[in-house]
Coordinates of all heavy atoms in Angstrom, one line a residue:
Chain B
T83 N -17.7 12.4 10.3 CA -18.2 12.4 11.7 C -18.0 11.1 12.3 O -17.5 11.0 13.5 CB -19.7 12.8 11.7 OG1 -19.8 14.1 11.0 CG2 -20.1 12.9 13.1
A84 N -18.3 10.0 11.6 CA -18.2 8.7 12.2 C -16.8 8.1 11.9 O -16.5 7.0 12.5 CB -19.3 7.8 11.6
K85 N -16.0 8.8 11.2 CA -14.7 8.3 10.8 C -14.7 6.9 10.2 O -14.0 6.0 10.6 CB -13.8 8.3 12.0 CG -13.4 9.8 12.4 CD -12.3 9.9 13.5 CE -12.8 9.6 14.8 NZ -11.9 9.8 15.9
H86 N -15.6 6.8 9.2 CA -15.5 5.6 8.4 C -15.8 5.8 6.9 O -16.3 6.9 6.5 CB -16.5 4.5 8.9 CG -17.9 4.8 8.8 ND1 -18.6 4.8 7.6 CD2 -18.9 5.0 9.8 CE1 -19.9 5.0 7.8 NE2 -20.1 5.1 9.1
F87 N -15.2 5.0 6.1 CA -15.4 5.1 4.6 C -15.5 3.7 4.1 O -15.1 2.7 4.7 CB -14.2 5.8 4.0 CG -12.8 5.3 4.3 CD1 -12.1 4.7 3.3 CD2 -12.3 5.3 5.6 CE1 -10.8 4.2 3.5 CE2 -11.0 4.8 5.8 CZ -10.3 4.3 4.8
S88 N -16.2 3.6 2.9 CA -16.6 2.3 2.4 C -16.3 2.3 0.9 O -16.4 3.3 0.2 CB -18.1 2.0 2.6 OG -18.4 2.0 4.0
L89 N -16.0 1.1 0.4 CA -15.9 0.8 -1.1 C -17.1 0.0 -1.5 O -17.4 -1.0 -0.9 CB -14.6 0.0 -1.3 CG -14.3 -0.3 -2.8 CD1 -14.0 0.9 -3.6 CD2 -13.2 -1.4 -2.9
H90 N -17.7 0.5 -2.6 CA -18.9 -0.2 -3.2 C -18.5 -0.6 -4.6 O -18.1 0.2 -5.4 CB -20.1 0.7 -3.2 CG -20.4 1.3 -1.9 ND1 -21.5 0.8 -1.1 CD2 -19.8 2.2 -1.1 CE1 -21.6 1.5 0.0 NE2 -20.6 2.4 0.0
I91 N -18.7 -1.9 -4.9 CA -18.5 -2.4 -6.3 C -19.8 -3.0 -6.7 O -20.3 -3.9 -6.1 CB -17.4 -3.5 -6.3 CG1 -16.1 -3.0 -5.7 CG2 -17.2 -3.9 -7.8 CD1 -15.0 -4.1 -5.6
T92 N -20.3 -2.4 -7.8 CA -21.6 -2.9 -8.3 C -21.4 -3.9 -9.5 O -20.3 -3.8 -10.1 CB -22.5 -1.8 -8.7 OG1 -21.8 -1.0 -9.7 CG2 -22.9 -0.9 -7.6
E93 N -22.4 -4.7 -9.8 CA -22.3 -5.6 -11.0 C -20.9 -6.3 -11.0 O -20.2 -6.3 -12.0 CB -22.5 -4.8 -12.3 CG -23.9 -4.1 -12.3 CD -24.0 -3.2 -13.5 OE1 -23.3 -3.3 -14.5 OE2 -24.9 -2.3 -13.4
T94 N -20.6 -7.0 -9.9 CA -19.3 -7.6 -9.8 C -19.0 -8.6 -10.9 O -20.0 -9.3 -11.4 CB -19.1 -8.3 -8.5 OG1 -20.2 -9.2 -8.3 CG2 -19.0 -7.3 -7.3
Q95 N -17.8 -8.7 -11.3 CA -17.3 -9.6 -12.4 C -16.2 -10.5 -11.8 O -15.5 -10.1 -10.9 CB -16.9 -8.8 -13.6 CG -17.9 -7.9 -14.2 CD -17.4 -6.9 -15.1 OE1 -16.2 -6.9 -15.5 NE2 -18.3 -6.0 -15.6
P96 N -15.9 -11.6 -12.4 CA -14.9 -12.5 -11.9 C -13.5 -11.8 -11.8 O -12.7 -12.1 -10.9 CB -14.8 -13.7 -12.9 CG -16.2 -13.7 -13.4 CD -16.7 -12.3 -13.5
E97 N -13.3 -10.8 -12.7 CA -12.0 -10.1 -12.7 C -11.9 -9.1 -11.5 O -10.8 -8.6 -11.3 CB -11.7 -9.4 -14.0 CG -12.8 -8.6 -14.5 CD -13.7 -9.3 -15.5 OE1 -14.0 -10.5 -15.3 OE2 -14.2 -8.6 -16.4
D98 N -13.0 -9.0 -10.8 CA -12.9 -8.1 -9.6 C -12.3 -8.9 -8.4 O -12.0 -8.4 -7.3 CB -14.3 -7.6 -9.2 CG -14.9 -6.7 -10.2 OD1 -14.1 -5.9 -10.8 OD2 -16.1 -6.7 -10.3
S99 N -12.2 -10.2 -8.5 CA -11.6 -11.1 -7.5 C -10.2 -10.7 -7.2 O -9.3 -10.6 -8.1 CB -11.7 -12.6 -7.9 OG -13.0 -13.0 -8.0
A100 N -9.9 -10.3 -6.0 CA -8.5 -9.8 -5.6 C -8.6 -9.5 -4.1 O -9.6 -9.6 -3.4 CB -8.2 -8.5 -6.4
V101 N -7.5 -9.0 -3.6 CA -7.4 -8.4 -2.2 C -7.5 -6.9 -2.3 O -6.8 -6.3 -3.1 CB -6.2 -8.9 -1.5 CG1 -6.1 -8.3 -0.1 CG2 -6.1 -10.4 -1.4
Y102 N -8.4 -6.3 -1.5 CA -8.6 -4.9 -1.5 C -8.1 -4.3 -0.2 O -8.4 -4.9 0.9 CB -10.1 -4.5 -1.7 CG -10.5 -4.9 -3.1 CD1 -10.9 -6.2 -3.5 CD2 -10.6 -3.9 -4.1 CE1 -11.3 -6.5 -4.8 CE2 -11.0 -4.2 -5.4 CZ -11.4 -5.5 -5.7 OH -11.8 -5.8 -7.0
F103 N -7.4 -3.2 -0.3 CA -6.9 -2.5 0.9 C -7.4 -1.1 1.0 O -7.4 -0.4 0.0 CB -5.4 -2.5 0.9 CG -4.7 -3.8 1.1 CD1 -4.2 -4.5 0.0 CD2 -4.4 -4.3 2.3 CE1 -3.6 -5.7 0.1 CE2 -3.8 -5.5 2.5 CZ -3.4 -6.2 1.4
C104 N -7.9 -0.7 2.1 CA -8.1 0.7 2.3 C -7.0 1.3 3.1 O -6.1 0.6 3.6 CB -9.4 0.9 3.2 SG -9.3 0.2 4.9
A105 N -6.9 2.6 3.0 CA -5.8 3.3 3.7 C -6.2 4.7 4.1 O -7.2 5.3 3.5 CB -4.5 3.4 2.8

Side-chain angles (χ1 to χ4, degrees):
Chain B
T83 303
K85 289 190 281 189
H86 69 68
F87 56 112
S88 300
L89 177 71
H90 304 253
I91 306 174
T92 59
E93 301 172 19
T94 54
Q95 301 167 4
E97 50 265 38
D98 294 328
S99 295
V101 179
Y102 291 81
F103 292 95
C104 64

